[in-house]
Amino acid sequence: MATFVLVPGGWHGSWAFEAVAPLLERAGHTVHPLTLTGLRPHDDPATIATANLDTHADDVLRLLERARPDDVTLVGHSYGGMVITAAADRAGGRVSRLVYLDACVPRDGESCWSLMNEGYRQSFVAGAATTGYAVEPPWRPDGDPRRRPHPLAALLQAVRLTGAHADVPRREFVHCSGWEDRTPFTDQRARLLADPGWTVHDLPTAHNAMREAPRAVAALLLAGADGPAEDTAHTPGPAVRSAS
Protein backbone atom coordinates (compact mmCIF):
# COMPACT_ATOMS: atom_id res chain seq x y z
CA MET A 1 0.00 0.00 0.00
CA ALA A 2 1.17 3.52 -0.77
CA THR A 3 1.64 6.46 1.57
CA PHE A 4 0.18 9.74 0.28
CA VAL A 5 1.46 13.05 1.63
CA LEU A 6 -0.97 15.75 0.53
CA VAL A 7 0.38 19.32 0.43
CA PRO A 8 -2.18 22.11 -0.05
CA GLY A 9 -1.81 25.27 -2.07
CA GLY A 10 -1.64 28.85 -0.90
CA TRP A 11 -3.89 29.94 1.96
CA HIS A 12 -5.14 26.39 2.53
CA GLY A 13 -4.58 23.70 5.14
CA SER A 14 -5.03 19.95 5.44
CA TRP A 15 -8.79 20.45 5.22
CA ALA A 16 -8.40 21.17 1.48
CA PHE A 17 -8.18 17.40 0.96
CA GLU A 18 -11.02 16.48 3.32
CA ALA A 19 -13.11 14.94 0.51
CA VAL A 20 -10.18 13.11 -1.12
CA ALA A 21 -8.31 11.65 1.86
CA PRO A 22 -11.10 9.29 3.01
CA LEU A 23 -11.36 7.82 -0.49
CA LEU A 24 -7.66 6.98 -0.47
CA GLU A 25 -7.87 5.54 3.04
CA ARG A 26 -10.82 3.33 2.12
CA ALA A 27 -8.63 1.80 -0.58
CA GLY A 28 -6.16 0.79 2.12
CA HIS A 29 -3.56 3.51 1.75
CA THR A 30 -1.98 5.71 4.42
CA VAL A 31 -2.75 9.40 4.01
CA HIS A 32 -1.08 12.43 5.60
CA PRO A 33 -2.75 15.75 4.68
CA LEU A 34 -0.52 18.61 5.85
CA THR A 35 -1.05 22.12 7.12
CA LEU A 36 2.17 23.99 6.50
CA THR A 37 3.97 26.17 9.03
CA GLY A 38 2.54 29.67 9.13
CA LEU A 39 -0.92 28.52 8.06
CA ARG A 40 -1.93 26.77 11.27
CA PRO A 41 -4.61 28.52 13.36
CA HIS A 42 -2.29 28.89 16.37
CA ASP A 43 0.73 30.26 14.47
CA ASP A 44 1.82 33.66 15.80
CA PRO A 45 2.93 36.60 13.63
CA ALA A 46 6.63 35.79 14.10
CA THR A 47 6.08 32.25 12.81
CA ILE A 48 4.17 33.49 9.80
CA ALA A 49 6.72 36.20 9.03
CA THR A 50 9.68 33.81 9.06
CA ALA A 51 8.11 30.84 7.25
CA ASN A 52 9.41 30.35 3.71
CA LEU A 53 9.72 27.62 1.09
CA ASP A 54 12.54 25.92 2.98
CA THR A 55 10.35 25.85 6.10
CA HIS A 56 7.59 24.13 4.18
CA ALA A 57 9.92 21.59 2.56
CA ASP A 58 11.17 20.80 6.06
CA ASP A 59 7.56 20.20 7.18
CA VAL A 60 7.38 17.39 4.63
CA LEU A 61 10.82 16.01 5.45
CA ARG A 62 10.03 15.92 9.18
CA LEU A 63 6.93 13.88 8.43
CA LEU A 64 8.95 11.42 6.33
CA GLU A 65 11.53 11.11 9.07
CA ARG A 66 8.92 10.61 11.78
CA ALA A 67 6.63 8.20 9.94
CA ARG A 68 9.34 6.43 7.88
CA PRO A 69 6.80 5.38 5.24
CA ASP A 70 7.40 3.15 2.24
CA ASP A 71 6.28 3.87 -1.34
CA VAL A 72 5.76 7.60 -0.78
CA THR A 73 3.66 9.69 -3.14
CA LEU A 74 3.92 13.44 -2.64
CA VAL A 75 0.89 15.33 -3.96
CA GLY A 76 1.11 19.11 -4.25
CA HIS A 77 -1.70 21.45 -5.20
CA SER A 78 -0.88 24.88 -6.69
CA TYR A 79 1.88 26.44 -4.49
CA GLY A 80 2.26 22.95 -2.98
CA GLY A 81 4.14 21.95 -6.14
CA MET A 82 7.00 24.17 -5.01
CA VAL A 83 7.04 22.35 -1.68
CA ILE A 84 7.02 18.79 -2.99
CA THR A 85 9.76 19.61 -5.50
CA ALA A 86 12.05 21.00 -2.81
CA ALA A 87 11.23 18.13 -0.44
CA ALA A 88 11.78 15.42 -3.06
CA ASP A 89 15.14 16.94 -3.95
CA ARG A 90 16.24 16.57 -0.32
CA ALA A 91 14.48 13.32 0.59
CA GLY A 92 17.33 10.97 -0.21
CA GLY A 93 15.39 8.71 -2.55
CA ARG A 94 12.46 8.12 -0.21
CA VAL A 95 9.88 9.44 -2.71
CA SER A 96 8.64 7.14 -5.48
CA ARG A 97 6.00 9.35 -7.10
CA LEU A 98 5.29 13.07 -7.49
CA VAL A 99 1.83 14.33 -8.45
CA TYR A 100 1.40 18.02 -9.26
CA LEU A 101 -2.30 18.82 -9.00
CA ASP A 102 -2.62 21.99 -11.09
CA ALA A 103 0.58 23.01 -9.38
CA CYS A 104 3.89 24.78 -9.87
CA VAL A 105 6.60 22.53 -11.33
CA PRO A 106 9.69 24.67 -10.74
CA ARG A 107 13.14 24.39 -12.20
CA ASP A 108 16.19 25.46 -10.24
CA GLY A 109 16.01 29.16 -9.41
CA GLU A 110 12.28 29.55 -10.05
CA SER A 111 9.73 30.66 -7.47
CA CYS A 112 5.98 30.65 -7.14
CA TRP A 113 6.16 34.37 -7.95
CA SER A 114 8.10 33.80 -11.17
CA LEU A 115 5.79 30.99 -12.31
CA MET A 116 2.58 32.96 -11.79
CA ASN A 117 0.90 35.30 -14.26
CA GLU A 118 0.57 39.02 -13.71
CA GLY A 119 -2.89 38.69 -12.16
CA TYR A 120 -1.61 36.43 -9.41
CA ARG A 121 1.44 38.63 -8.79
CA GLN A 122 -0.80 41.65 -8.36
CA SER A 123 -2.95 39.73 -5.88
CA PHE A 124 0.17 38.79 -3.87
CA VAL A 125 1.22 42.43 -3.64
CA ALA A 126 -2.26 43.66 -2.73
CA GLY A 127 -2.75 40.85 -0.21
CA ALA A 128 0.48 41.67 1.62
CA ALA A 129 -0.20 45.39 1.88
CA THR A 130 -1.55 45.20 5.43
CA THR A 131 1.30 43.38 7.17
CA GLY A 132 4.09 43.26 4.63
CA TYR A 133 4.78 39.60 5.44
CA ALA A 134 1.49 37.70 5.00
CA VAL A 135 -0.73 37.60 1.91
CA GLU A 136 -4.43 37.73 2.66
CA PRO A 137 -6.58 35.24 0.74
CA PRO A 138 -8.00 36.78 -2.42
CA TRP A 139 -11.69 37.49 -2.19
CA ARG A 140 -13.91 35.00 -3.97
CA PRO A 141 -17.64 34.51 -3.53
CA ASP A 142 -17.07 30.80 -2.92
CA GLY A 143 -13.82 31.16 -0.96
CA ASP A 144 -13.51 28.79 2.00
CA PRO A 145 -13.69 30.75 5.29
CA ARG A 146 -10.95 28.52 6.72
CA ARG A 147 -8.33 30.05 4.43
CA ARG A 148 -5.54 31.88 6.21
CA PRO A 149 -2.93 34.50 5.26
CA HIS A 150 -0.02 32.86 3.43
CA PRO A 151 3.60 33.70 4.32
CA LEU A 152 4.85 36.08 1.64
CA ALA A 153 8.43 34.78 1.84
CA ALA A 154 7.24 31.31 0.78
CA LEU A 155 5.78 32.72 -2.42
CA LEU A 156 8.89 34.75 -3.24
CA GLN A 157 11.70 32.35 -2.38
CA ALA A 158 13.44 30.71 -5.34
CA VAL A 159 13.89 26.96 -5.05
CA ARG A 160 17.44 25.62 -5.11
CA LEU A 161 17.66 22.13 -6.56
CA THR A 162 20.48 19.62 -6.86
CA GLY A 163 18.62 17.65 -9.53
CA ALA A 164 17.85 14.69 -7.25
CA HIS A 165 14.12 15.36 -7.58
CA ALA A 166 14.38 14.37 -11.25
CA ASP A 167 15.37 10.86 -10.16
CA VAL A 168 11.89 10.23 -8.73
CA PRO A 169 10.71 7.45 -11.05
CA ARG A 170 7.13 8.64 -11.55
CA ARG A 171 6.25 12.28 -12.13
CA GLU A 172 2.77 13.40 -13.08
CA PHE A 173 1.11 16.74 -13.79
CA VAL A 174 -2.65 17.23 -13.58
CA HIS A 175 -3.88 20.16 -15.64
CA CYS A 176 -7.25 21.57 -14.60
CA SER A 177 -8.66 22.81 -17.88
CA GLY A 178 -11.86 24.42 -16.57
CA TRP A 179 -10.31 27.85 -16.01
CA GLU A 180 -8.31 28.30 -19.21
CA ASP A 181 -8.92 32.06 -19.26
CA ARG A 182 -7.00 32.54 -15.97
CA THR A 183 -4.69 29.59 -15.40
CA PRO A 184 -0.96 30.34 -15.12
CA PHE A 185 -0.08 26.73 -15.98
CA THR A 186 -0.71 26.56 -19.75
CA ASP A 187 2.94 26.95 -20.76
CA GLN A 188 4.00 24.53 -18.07
CA ARG A 189 1.59 21.90 -19.38
CA ALA A 190 3.03 22.27 -22.89
CA ARG A 191 6.57 21.88 -21.55
CA LEU A 192 5.75 18.72 -19.62
CA LEU A 193 3.78 17.17 -22.49
CA ALA A 194 6.96 17.38 -24.54
CA ASP A 195 9.05 15.70 -21.83
CA PRO A 196 9.04 11.87 -21.99
CA GLY A 197 9.80 11.72 -18.27
CA TRP A 198 6.36 13.08 -17.42
CA THR A 199 2.76 11.92 -17.55
CA VAL A 200 0.19 14.68 -18.06
CA HIS A 201 -3.48 14.31 -17.19
CA ASP A 202 -6.35 16.73 -17.86
CA LEU A 203 -9.28 17.26 -15.52
CA PRO A 204 -12.15 19.47 -16.78
CA THR A 205 -12.44 21.38 -13.48
CA ALA A 206 -11.41 24.76 -12.15
CA HIS A 207 -8.34 25.09 -9.95
CA ASN A 208 -9.65 23.49 -6.76
CA ALA A 209 -10.28 20.06 -8.24
CA MET A 210 -10.17 18.44 -4.78
CA ARG A 211 -13.41 20.23 -3.96
CA GLU A 212 -15.08 20.13 -7.38
CA ALA A 213 -14.28 16.54 -8.30
CA PRO A 214 -12.84 14.67 -5.30
CA ARG A 215 -13.73 11.26 -6.71
CA ALA A 216 -11.94 12.02 -9.98
CA VAL A 217 -8.86 13.24 -8.10
CA ALA A 218 -8.87 10.17 -5.87
CA ALA A 219 -9.35 7.87 -8.86
CA LEU A 220 -6.39 9.41 -10.63
CA LEU A 221 -4.19 9.01 -7.54
CA LEU A 222 -5.34 5.45 -6.98
CA ALA A 223 -4.85 4.48 -10.62
CA GLY A 224 -1.16 5.19 -10.26
CA ALA A 225 -0.75 3.72 -6.78
CA ASP A 226 0.04 0.19 -7.92
CA GLY A 227 2.21 0.78 -10.96
CA PRO A 228 3.46 3.17 -13.64
CA ALA A 229 1.08 5.60 -15.28
CA GLU A 230 -0.03 4.91 -18.82
CA ASP A 231 2.68 5.40 -21.43
CA THR A 232 0.20 7.05 -23.80
CA ALA A 233 0.55 10.33 -21.92
CA HIS A 234 4.33 10.42 -22.13
CA THR A 235 4.52 11.90 -25.60
CA PRO A 236 3.16 15.17 -27.02
CA GLY A 237 -0.45 15.04 -28.06
CA PRO A 238 -3.79 14.64 -26.29
CA ALA A 239 -3.36 14.25 -22.56
CA VAL A 240 -5.00 11.57 -20.50
CA ARG A 241 -8.39 12.87 -19.42
CA SER A 242 -10.02 11.87 -16.17
CA ALA A 243 -13.78 11.93 -15.74
CA SER A 244 -15.19 14.36 -13.21
Side-chain angles (χ1 to χ4, degrees), residues 101-120:
L101 181 56
D102 216 36
C104 298
V105 184
R107 292 168 286 197
D108 184 51
E110 293 182 327
S111 64
C112 185
W113 172 273
S114 71
L115 290 172
M116 290 296 102
N117 54 27
E118 189 57 30
Y120 266 94

Side-chain angles (χ1 to χ4, degrees), residues 27-217:
H29 301 288
T30 301
V31 185
H32 297 284
L34 294 185
T35 298
L36 300 170
T37 299
L39 291 122
R40 301 168 300 200
H42 62 273
D43 284 339
D44 58 23
T47 299
I48 300 170
T50 56
N52 59 20
L53 177 58
D54 287 335
T55 308
H56 293 162
D58 286 343
D59 287 341
V60 175
L61 294 172
R62 278 194 298 271
L63 171 64
L64 297 183
E65 185 62 31
R66 184 175 67 250
R68 296 191 175 275
D70 296 320
D71 191 16
V72 177
T73 294
L74 299 185
V75 180
H77 176 248
S78 197
Y79 161 76
M82 299 293 304
V83 179
I84 66 171
T85 303
D89 197 64
R90 307 168 193 178
R94 288 176 288 180
V95 177
S96 59
R97 184 184 177 205
L98 292 168
V99 180
Y100 294 80
L101 181 56
D102 216 36
C104 298
V105 184
R107 292 168 286 197
D108 184 51
E110 293 182 327
S111 64
C112 185
W113 172 273
S114 71
L115 290 172
M116 290 296 102
N117 54 27
E118 189 57 30
Y120 266 94
R121 286 192 283 267
Q122 289 179 6
S123 73
F124 292 167
V125 172
T130 300
T131 65
Y133 62 81
V135 180
E136 293 291 330
W139 183 86
R140 292 191 180 96
D142 60 345
D144 194 298
R146 292 171 289 185
R147 294 182 302 163
R148 298 186 58 79
H150 194 96
L152 177 61
L155 302 174
L156 300 180
Q157 185 182 5
V159 68
R160 294 302 174 190
L161 302 170
T162 68
H165 67 292
D167 293 332
V168 174
R170 295 157 61 198
R171 289 169 288 155
E172 301 171 42
F173 177 72
V174 183
H175 178 247
C176 293
S177 60
W179 62 311
E180 290 181 328
D181 58 330
R182 291 171 292 136
T183 179
F185 301 124
T186 301
D187 291 344
Q188 182 174 267
R189 175 182 181 273
R191 168 170 64 90
L192 298 177
L193 270 174
D195 188 332
W198 284 82
T199 299
V200 175
H201 310 270
D202 281 348
L203 282 177
T205 71
H207 188 45
N208 288 312
M210 309 89 63
R211 182 176 64 186
E212 286 193 32
R215 291 187 179 278
V217 171

